[in-house]
Amino acid sequence: MAAISVPQKQNDSLGKPSTQRKTRQELNDRRYPKIINKNEIIWRDRYNFFLERGWELRPRYRPDWKPSWAGTSTNPVDCEDSISNIISIILDAKRVTDGLIVCLKRVTCRSKEVQIGNFLSSPELGGYPDNHCVPILDSFQDPLSPEFEYIVMPFLRPFDDPDFWVVGEIIDFIGQMLEGLAFMHLHRVYHGDLNGSNIMMDARPIYPDGWHPVMRYASVDGASVLKPLARIDHPVRYYIIDYDCSIMLLPNESHFISDLDGQDKEIPEFSPKKPLDVFKLDVFALGNIFLKNFHQKYLGLGFLVEFINYMMTRDPTNRPTAQEAFRRWQNVKPTINPSMMHWRLRKPDESIGERVALDTYAMAHHGIQSVKRLFQAQVFHVDHH
């Protein structure tokens, strides 16, 4: 009968922890390489340039960066400088003078984005409360690639991250966006690419301690998961961003334009060659945002149907201007029962148990002051001259 080699069994057993440690180390090395990725090189190479202009990048992008976990037993997942950036044209930074977190965006000089952004953020226009165009804090040319420029903006979050919670938050969003689009059109700027990804919010009221610029669910140091405050009680401000497809019209220039890029292809009159009323295109696109992100996503928003249909009128000659749509909304809002403002938004796929639990939580956070604010806000300002 063959004998069992006990020493071999002991050696296998003793070898497992070492093998496991080696496997774990190899996995960490793949997930958290000790060098920056190719999308981050342009930022590292310009670290000192940005710093001289007053914008400090995270430690990961310092020219002499060494991973803080290298040569230690620390798990890279616990180190903020292990978090990489995957979008090559955008990066966060900190304003040296006061620590404000901002967003740096790299754009081609062929784009009108810098010119239009600076116009909408100019001293003449930037201070108006109905201006919901993202502020441009700084702009400058790339020192190594003169065909590129940088714009500096506040660091914002997607408008729907976190999800909307109660009806009143949607009411607030719609009013702000209509106000903002009316402001753009009043100053003869056509956006040209209105969609959900080009609307952001200043989320500092609901994340008072900030959030990590890459892992938005985490704290600034990446160490803990955040729980946002309710925006119905801590109002946020929404902004329209990205003017890459935008057009700034001269005072007497026609707003019927052909050869347009970036526009919502669901617009019924869309044609790449036919001259179109560009302002009416923006109105339809914004109505489509309301349709897809609210009416089709949540239950109980039937009161929006008529207004959305009004904005998405198929015949552009009968479709309202942005100013007309905003005025109509100002008439619609007082007809909405104030008790609805704290109704929790329900999704079609919720189970009965989920619905009961979430409804109970929503009722516990009811606050009449935030309802009053929603109905007192957003006075229409159009006469700026």
Side-chain angles (χ1 to χ4, degrees):
M1 184 171 67
I4 299 175
S5 174
V6 174
Q8 182 63 46
K9 289 180 66 178
Q10 290 175 338
N11 287 342
D12 285 346
S13 177
L14 291 172
K16 285 180 180 178
S18 176
T19 301
Q20 290 173 349
R21 283 195 298 270
K22 183 177 180 181
T23 301
R24 186 163 54 246
Q25 183 63 48
E26 290 174 346
L27 183 61
N28 279 339
D29 287 344
R30 287 197 297 270
R31 288 180 175 174
Y32 305 100
K34 295 182 176 67
I35 59 173
I36 60 176
N37 66 49
K38 63 180 182 180
N39 291 326
E40 299 174 303
I41 292 174
I42 61 170
W43 302 103
R44 179 203 61 193
D45 291 349
R46 293 157 177 79
Y47 179 90
N48 289 324
F49 167 72
F50 291 127
L51 188 60
E52 289 172 0
R53 290 199 64 96
W55 311 106
E56 182 180 9
L57 306 185
R58 280 182 280 134
R60 177 181 178 85
Y61 303 105
R62 292 172 182 164
D64 59 351
W65 174 68
K66 291 182 176 58
S68 61
W69 66 92
T72 74
S73 59
T74 304
N75 192 327
V77 76
D78 296 324
C79 301
E80 191 284 327
D81 64 332
S82 71
I83 303 172
S84 62
N85 192 57
I86 60 174
I87 304 176
S88 62
I89 65 169
I90 291 178
L91 191 68
D92 59 284
K94 180 173 64 176
R95 187 160 61 188
V96 174
T97 55
D98 59 4
L100 177 72
I101 303 301
V102 299
C103 173
L104 304 178
K105 183 178 181 182
R106 178 179 168 94
V107 300
T108 173
C109 291
R110 295 190 303 271
S111 167
K112 297 292 185 181
E113 186 162 5
V114 176
Q115 178 188 357
I116 293 174
N118 282 331
F119 168 71
L120 293 168
S121 296
S122 64
E124 294 78 17
L125 301 182
Y128 283 107
D130 44 340
N131 184 350
H132 290 268
C133 302
V134 60
I136 306 300
L137 307 176
D138 194 7
S139 62
F140 43 86
Q141 194 170 40
D142 189 302
L144 304 178
S145 303
E147 69 273 20
F148 289 100
E149 296 177 275
Y150 295 93
I151 53 177
V152 183
M153 303 169 285
F155 194 79
L156 307 174
R157 288 178 75 97
F159 79 93
D160 55 355
D161 177 23
D163 279 345
F164 288 81
W165 178 244
V166 295
V167 171
E169 295 172 351
I170 289 179
I171 302 299
D172 188 29
F173 174 86
I174 291 175
Q176 288 196 40
M177 285 300 93
L178 289 167
E179 182 178 62
L181 186 61
F183 180 89
M184 288 186 72
H185 288 185
L186 177 67
H187 295 284
R188 300 189 63 75
V189 176
Y190 151 70
H191 186 275
D193 195 20
L194 272 180
N195 60 70
S197 64
N198 285 334
I199 298 176
M200 308 283 280
M201 67 172 166
D202 180 354
R204 288 176 294 178
I206 60 175
Y207 291 100
D209 295 322
W211 63 93
H212 193 275
V214 178
M215 301 191 307
R216 294 195 301 264
Y217 61 86
S219 56
V220 173
D221 61 5
S224 58
V225 176
L226 296 174
K227 183 177 180 181
L229 302 173
R231 58 179 110 183
I232 189 72
D233 300 314
H234 303 272
V236 301
R237 186 168 177 84
Y238 299 98
Y239 290 101
I240 298 170
I241 69 164
D242 195 350
Y243 311 122
D244 189 48
C245 297
S246 300
I247 298 173
M248 185 164 59
L249 299 172
L250 298 174
N252 297 318
E253 188 175 1
S254 172
H255 51 89
F256 285 82
I257 301 175
S258 58
D259 297 320
L260 298 168
D261 295 322
Q263 190 53 256
D264 183 345
K265 300 305 186 291
E266 295 181 38
I267 293 174
E269 71 268 27
F270 182 80
S271 169
K273 299 299 181 183
K274 177 183 175 182
L276 303 173
D277 184 339
V278 292
F279 294 143
K280 297 293 185 73
L281 299 180
D282 274 350
V283 171
F284 185 99
L286 185 57
N288 209 10
I289 291 173
F290 299 158
L291 174 68
K292 292 180 176 179
N293 290 276
F294 301 138
H295 185 254
Q296 292 181 351
K297 184 175 180 179
Y298 300 107
L299 302 173
L301 298 179
F303 64 90
L304 290 179
V305 173
E306 182 179 350
F307 183 74
I308 291 173
N309 288 341
Y310 172 64
M311 292 187 67
M312 299 179 69
T313 301
R314 296 189 63 81
D315 183 350
T317 61
N318 295 325
R319 190 180 306 150
T321 65
Q323 288 90 343
E324 290 169 344
F326 186 45
R327 289 192 183 99
R328 170 74 70 91
W329 179 250
Q330 293 296 89
N331 292 327
V332 169
K333 198 166 67 169
T335 69
I336 302 172
N337 189 334
S339 67
M340 291 180 62
M341 293 302 103
H342 276 80
W343 285 7
R344 185 183 66 82
L345 293 165
R346 299 173 176 85
K347 296 180 179 180
D349 57 352
E350 287 179 359
S351 68
I352 294 176
E354 288 174 328
R355 183 167 298 178
V356 170
L358 292 170
D359 284 347
T360 301
Y361 178 84
M363 288 295 292
H365 288 75
H366 184 85
I368 192 63
Q369 292 303 318
S370 51
V371 173
K372 290 181 179 178
R373 181 195 65 80
L374 287 169
F375 278 81
Q376 292 169 353
Q378 297 158 349
V379 176
F380 187 43
H381 304 283
V382 295
D383 186 10
H384 295 157
H385 304 288

